[in-house]
Amino acid sequence: MSDDFKIQVKKNSDMCMVSLSGRLSTSIQFPEIIHTRNIVMDCSALESINSSGVKAWIHWVSSLRQSKVFLENCPPFMVIQFGQVGGFLTENMTVGSFFVPYFSEETTETKNILYRKGTEYTDNGTVNGPEVKDSAGNVMEIDAIESQYFSFLKKAP
Amino acid sequence: MNLTEKYPDIFKVEEFPRIYELFGSIPVLEYPAETQHKDSLSENILVVNDESLPELVQPIFSQKAFHVVRKSASLFRLELIVAGLMILKHETFYNDPATLLLKFFKLQQSGDNMQVQRHEIKSTTEAPAVLSALRGVLPVNTGEAQAVEIGIVLDELISNALFNAPIDRHKKHLFKGRSRGEDFALPSGHSIIIQMASSPTHLMILVKDSFGSIDAGGLLRRLRQIYSDNEPPTPRVGLGGAGLGLKMVLDRVESLYLMSVPEKYTFAGALIPLNKGMKKMFATPKNLHLGLST
């Protein structure tokens, strides 16, 4: 099955910027990244994942254990995998920011809100999200099972 | 007690005379009170409370077919009807599930806004277009995050039908070992039918292949793995996994329907609640229907 997964890598002496986009699925060919001290991955343009993509991801990130990996703008489907699949989020990874889905029972509106480390959550797992309102002014609820969705924060190094 | 006696309000004889007659022979058990029932469970429906699923897995393993329906199922009647059809008249459900659903959703007075799609694919290259078409069947107010999660279910069901189902006449799997990035066509005369039907409250996805190769023993082992392990699954690197695809589907659906007749067909169906947000989609109690021949 062909996919539209793309990966862009920009490197300098001790930093590697990786931009991921498309569907993390069956046909991914992750590039080999020569060891750099820090790798920053922008996940904002990732669209979806399937079980083959999960396996490919785990295989790839296991080869990056020599580096510190910072994940930015992680979409909800990726955050769900953090808590559900062993090896998806490795010990050398730090989640710098991730999206949290919100839902309004009244209007059925949805929003994805970016949580940033040091602002909406801390290293020790404390979460202090913003109050989010729908177009009618109703307070929206986090649209995830919070004990599962945020569980990776307690495991963070 | 049989199905129509147990739920006379749901299966009123004057309203559903044919169903009443057909389903009158199906025994219904209740868990946990009747778990000591010694009859074969393969043609029974087990009705359970929400809290009992983990304990329920054990009795499933010794059965060839099994239907577990939650008392709190949002479409309780549909669950019982589907179970009944899978037991007694599986070709009805297999041959034209969308029509069945259409009738049912109309019965629920939500059929006016029902969307239906049917796709037939014969190669891996056609699958991404079906995944892209999903948005067209979802209600417009479905959130983007939930749409992605629903797409994962469709993706897993189609991938399974393409890569794991095809076998040759010696029952040897044709594509199971292939890289998931590889493109190939199904053997001549075979195809995969994908049907999606949605009401404002639910989406039903049905994926049918024409191989009937599901490994009942392997499926039951994976179910045991999913419901008995406390730790999250860690898939093996490379091909294969720890039932990860099955778990990704089960996590996201309200009901999973799997039926296979060896060397004839397999269908996998998923019922997904739509109008309650993603949280309730994940948290909803599960119904499970297995119709597996060995």
Side-chain angles (χ1 to χ4, degrees), chain A residues 1-3 23 25-29 47-52 54-55 58-59 62 76-78 80-81 83-87 101 103 105 107-110 112 141-146 148-149 155, chain B residues 124-125 127-128 131 141-145 148-149 152 155-156 158-159 162-163 179-183 232-238 240-241 244-245 247-248 251-252 275-280 282-283:
Chain A
M1 283 164 70
S2 54
D3 295 299
R23 182 164 155 260
S25 61
T26 53
S27 60
I28 315 168
Q29 293 294 323
E47 293 171 6
S48 182
I49 197 166
N50 67 9
S51 58
S52 297
V54 169
K55 290 168 202 165
I58 290 171
H59 180 56
S62 70
F77 72 82
M78 204 171 173
I80 288 168
Q81 299 308 316
Q84 290 193 338
V85 182
F103 178 72
E105 292 266 4
T107 64
T108 70
E109 285 171 64
T110 59
N112 285 342
E141 291 185 3
I142 291 177
D143 193 17
I145 302 170
E146 292 178 46
Q148 294 175 11
Y149 198 81
K155 299 172 192 167
Chain B
T124 52
T125 54
L131 295 176
N141 62 352
T142 307
E144 193 51 44
V148 169
E149 297 302 323
I152 289 172
D155 190 342
E156 289 299 327
I158 293 175
S159 294
L162 280 169
F163 286 88
S179 158
R180 292 295 173 103
E182 210 171 316
D183 285 327
T234 304
R236 292 198 310 267
V237 170
L244 182 63
K247 184 178 188 307
M248 289 174 81
D251 282 345
R252 289 159 177 79
N275 62 338
K276 298 173 182 172
M278 195 164 73
K279 180 179 185 174
K280 289 181 180 167
F282 275 95

Side-chain angles (χ1 to χ4, degrees), chain A residues 71-74 94-100 113-123 126-130 150 152-153:
Chain A
L71 299 176
E72 299 290 348
N73 306 311
C74 301
T94 301
V95 179
S97 58
F98 62 98
F99 286 94
V100 178
I113 302 297
L114 188 67
Y115 277 39
R116 297 151 299 173
K117 186 180 169 190
T119 306
E120 282 82 17
Y121 65 98
T122 63
D123 276 338
T126 305
V127 177
N128 185 21
F150 296 113
F152 76 92
L153 292 173

